[in-house]
Amino acid sequence: MNTTEVIRAENLTKIFKTRESEIVALKNINLSVKDGEFLCIVGPSGCGKTTLLRIFAGLEKQTLGKVYLRVKNTEKPLTAMVFQGDSVFPWMKVTENVEYGLRMRGVPTRERREIALKYLKLMGLEKFAGYYPHQLSGGMKQRINVARAFASDPEILLMDEPFGALDEQNRLILQQELLRIWEGSGKTTVFITHSIDEALLLGDRIIVMTAQPGRIKAILEVGMARPRDMLSIKSSPPFVQLYREIWELLREEVLKARDIKLKK
Amino acid sequence: MNAVEEKPNRIIKREEISEGASKSLQRRAFLFQILSFLSPLLLLLLWEILARLNAIDVRLFSSPSRIFAALVPLVSSGELLYHTLVSAWRILLGFIVGAVPGVLLGLSMGLFPPVKALLQPLVAVTFPIPKLAVMPLILIIFGLGESSKVFTIAIGVFYLVLINTMAGVLNIDTIYMDVARSFGASRVQFYTTVALPGALPMIFAGLKLGMGTALLLIVAAELSAARAGVGWMIWRAYDMFDIEKMFCALIVLAFLGYIFSYVLDFVEKVVIPWKNR
């Protein structure tokens, strides 16, 4: 593992065994994530993107291969994950949810309240700090989910389609917000999305994965200057060019994934 | 084509809600309230009329006026209150003695697979035994005093709370466990921030079921070797063929059941403020 790498996966394979069948979710994944990089992963649904992220987060163990993560600062948590579904604890108030990671690390109440409030403000939720999640909309809960990961201040941020369930307007605002926070923090981020637009707006590099079994099909450098915003990049030639390239790669895989589903 | 030609540009108007319609909705809600209030009164009235007409045997079925006449001295002498308090105290104690270990054991069975593997068969085998069938054994072991009554109730409550608590833990969505793990929650932190709060709704479902069983068991437990209590009153009235007194005791039981479930609902609202009601 060279010094600029923060995550490195070598020949990573994950096989889910059930009584009737074996599903190869990931096959021979080799990749490295550089320090401070924003890496986006796109791929057809069911290609093992989430599994890859869960292995990085330590929630799942690979069947074969090696994964290395660099710990630079022992004070900070190594990873924090933004989950895809509704993962906000219904029994905690909004603030308590956001400060959960800090509480697990034993940060004093007062300090973590302050940090939580800061991220609630960034997410436009400070008015709802004392609410319970069931009083909020799905989009608001997803923002709590994002705020919770940021508040814990990890070295590596793992995000699994965090804006997938949001409406377009809120998504645009949060993407911009995420970029702003990320550019300020320089946090290494692995970000799963099904939106090519989103990947191009956010990512330094984009990994395109194949349909099941999930393999790396292509790695693209985005190379557009930062700070970016959707309005100005969307009509720029590199954006259009990359969009077409990624879509052609993905299209094949999405069609393949459809065939796999039909066969089942 | 000889289909019937429809008029083009037909306009359908959607009417706004009329004053009259919203008024009539309110009136209906009010009517329903009156109905649910009236139904017990009507039943009592019917009962009284049938008794007065000698259509039912008052020696067996009594009548509201007779029961009320018997109730007044029972209340004013303090006798009814005394028996009520005795029974309520036994229920409360039995409830606590049964529910506390039920919750603790249910949590550990839900959280630790080895504990579940160890205890599940025992629970599965002993749960179906009717608690009343164990009562004689309890009397032999605990004697004729208070503890045998408390323990009978405790046993009934224990199983219901245990089974519901365990189910509550096992049914917590795995995503919450993933969140706790990914943020590095320790074992203790996991119990206090995920397992216990996540299981609380089911724990309360168990407590409510347990309360019903406790009322059932108190009557049975006071059948034998008791000198006070609402259940004892019923059996005593049976011996004396005092139907009115029996009804008075039944009223107390209904009242106790209502109070206990009210208290449980209240505590639930305080403990689980996050539940969507």
Side-chain angles (χ1 to χ4, degrees), chain A residues 126-142:
Chain A
E126 73 269 31
K127 268 183 259 156
F128 301 97
Y131 282 51
Y132 281 103
H134 76 85
Q135 297 167 293
L136 308 179
S137 71
M140 289 159 118
K141 283 192 235 180
Q142 199 51 18

Side-chain angles (χ1 to χ4, degrees), chain B residues 29-275:
Chain B
F30 183 63
L31 183 73
F32 290 159
Q33 262 183 345
I34 292 195
L35 277 179
S36 53
F37 187 69
L38 271 182
S39 61
L41 287 180
L42 280 173
L43 189 71
L44 286 175
L45 193 68
L46 184 71
W47 186 2
E48 185 68 37
I49 289 169
L50 288 175
R52 294 270 162 106
L53 292 174
N54 280 326
I56 51 171
D57 191 341
V58 286
R59 285 170 306 170
L60 300 180
F61 293 101
S62 192
S63 74
S65 58
R66 280 161 169 254
I67 294 167
F68 186 72
L71 188 64
V72 172
L74 275 175
V75 172
S76 61
S77 68
E79 188 186 345
L80 196 63
L81 184 68
Y82 168 69
H83 291 299
T84 307
L85 288 179
V86 167
S87 290
W89 180 240
R90 285 171 182 158
I91 291 176
L92 193 69
L93 275 184
F95 200 71
I96 292 169
V97 172
V100 171
V103 169
L104 294 178
L105 223 55
L107 279 178
S108 13
M109 284 174 75
L111 288 168
F112 307 110
V115 178
K116 187 175 169 232
L118 193 73
L119 296 178
Q120 176 87 326
L122 288 176
V123 173
V125 167
T126 52
F127 174 56
I129 299 175
K131 306 303 163 275
L132 293 178
V134 195
M135 252 189 65
L137 188 65
I138 294 174
L139 280 176
I140 290 173
I141 296 171
F142 288 91
L144 302 176
E146 284 302 294
S147 48
S148 61
K149 283 140 206 100
V150 169
F151 197 74
T152 305
I153 293 166
I155 269 194
V157 173
F158 169 75
Y159 279 98
L160 291 168
V161 173
L162 168 78
I163 288 168
N164 276 282
T165 304
M166 180 175 70
V169 176
L170 293 175
N171 284 325
I172 295 174
D173 200 327
T174 48
I175 198 163
Y176 299 131
M177 311 198 177
D178 282 345
V179 173
R181 271 175 68 200
S182 75
F183 283 111
S186 69
R187 217 150 237 256
V188 177
Q189 284 172 329
F190 176 72
Y191 303 148
T192 53
T193 63
V194 178
L196 185 63
L200 268 181
M202 284 292 280
I203 292 176
F204 266 89
L207 290 175
K208 285 176 183 173
L209 286 171
M211 190 42 79
T213 308
L215 283 169
L216 176 89
L217 290 171
I218 187 71
V219 177
E222 288 175 350
L223 161 63
S224 50
R227 263 176 245 100
V230 184
W232 175 82
M233 261 180 82
I234 290 176
W235 293 110
R236 180 94 178 136
Y238 169 80
D239 288 337
M240 316 280 280
F241 203 69
D242 190 347
I243 301 292
E244 280 74 33
K245 203 170 188 175
M246 210 183 267
F247 272 107
C248 291
L250 290 178
I251 292 170
V252 169
L253 281 177
F255 181 70
L256 273 183
Y258 183 80
I259 294 281
F260 281 132
S261 75
Y262 185 85
V263 169
L264 271 178
D265 280 342
F266 177 77
V267 175
E268 186 183 23
K269 265 180 205 146
V270 173
V271 176
I272 318 180
W274 47 273
K275 207 169 139 192

